[in-house]
């Protein structure tokens, strides 16, 4: 079982899953009035990243896998934009923004390498 080929063994998937947890913990503190707005969008973007990595891993052929990695990258860019909006609206302080943004940049570097 240890040698089983699975998306769970991919470092990019593991880091993306860790980011999802951080994002949910962060948005839990957002205003309740944002629950169906920015909070929902941020959470969906974050979840989309490891989900597409996993889906691409399950596809046959490198081209399909690369296409899903590209979709993950697009979701990551969407997340970065939404985090910037939340920061500009003072939903996130600078320290938290910087830490989570750096996490997104690390995943971005992994997706583009």
């Amino acid at each position: 079982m240890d040698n089983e080929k699975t998306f769970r063994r991919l470092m990019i998937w593991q880091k993306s899953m860790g980011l999802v947890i951080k994002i949910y913990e962060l948005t839990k503190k957002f205003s309740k009035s944002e629950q169906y707005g920015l909070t929902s969008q941020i959470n969906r973007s974050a979840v989309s990243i490891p989900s597409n990595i996993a889906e691409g891993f399950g596809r046959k052929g490198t081209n399909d896998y690369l296409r899903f990695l590209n979709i993950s990258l697009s979701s990551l860019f969407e997340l970065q934009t939404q985090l910037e909006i939340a920061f500009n609206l003072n939903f996130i302080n600078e320290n938290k923004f910087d830490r989570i943004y750096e996490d997104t940049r690390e995943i971005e570097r992994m997706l583009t390498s």
Side-chain angles (χ1 to χ4, degrees):
M1 177 121 171
D2 283 299
N3 293 328
E4 185 179 355
K5 243 184 137 177
T6 171
F7 61 85
R8 289 177 181 86
R9 295 177 63 96
L10 298 172
M11 184 61 66
I12 184 75
W13 182 83
Q14 293 170 15
K15 287 192 178 286
S16 298
M17 289 293 288
L19 178 64
V20 170
I21 301 305
K22 289 178 184 179
I23 290 295
Y24 268 79
E25 289 171 353
L26 177 74
T27 59
K28 194 183 331 181
K29 297 175 180 134
F30 283 16
S31 165
K32 289 294 177 203
S33 66
E34 281 301 318
Q35 184 175 3
Y36 300 107
L38 193 56
T39 301
S40 177
Q41 290 229 253
I42 288 172
N43 290 343
R44 282 182 292 159
S45 294
V47 167
S48 180
I49 299 164
S51 298
N52 279 295
I53 292 167
E55 185 171 356
F57 186 89
R59 297 292 175 131
K60 296 188 185 219
T62 304
N63 287 340
D64 266 350
Y65 183 49
L66 292 175
R67 185 169 64 84
F68 277 89
L69 290 181
N70 193 45
I71 293 168
S72 292
L73 183 62
S74 296
S75 295
L76 181 71
F77 290 155
E78 187 177 350
L79 175 62
Q80 289 172 338
T81 299
Q82 293 159 353
L83 289 170
E84 188 89 28
I85 291 167
F87 175 69
N88 290 336
L89 292 171
N90 295 314
F91 294 167
I92 309 171
N93 69 38
E94 188 171 4
N95 187 37
K96 284 184 183 176
F97 174 78
D98 288 344
R99 280 186 283 145
I100 288 193
Y101 190 76
E102 185 48 45
D103 289 344
T104 69
R105 292 286 294 138
E106 180 182 13
I107 293 168
E108 180 183 342
R109 288 187 291 274
M110 292 175 81
L111 283 169
T112 57
S113 65

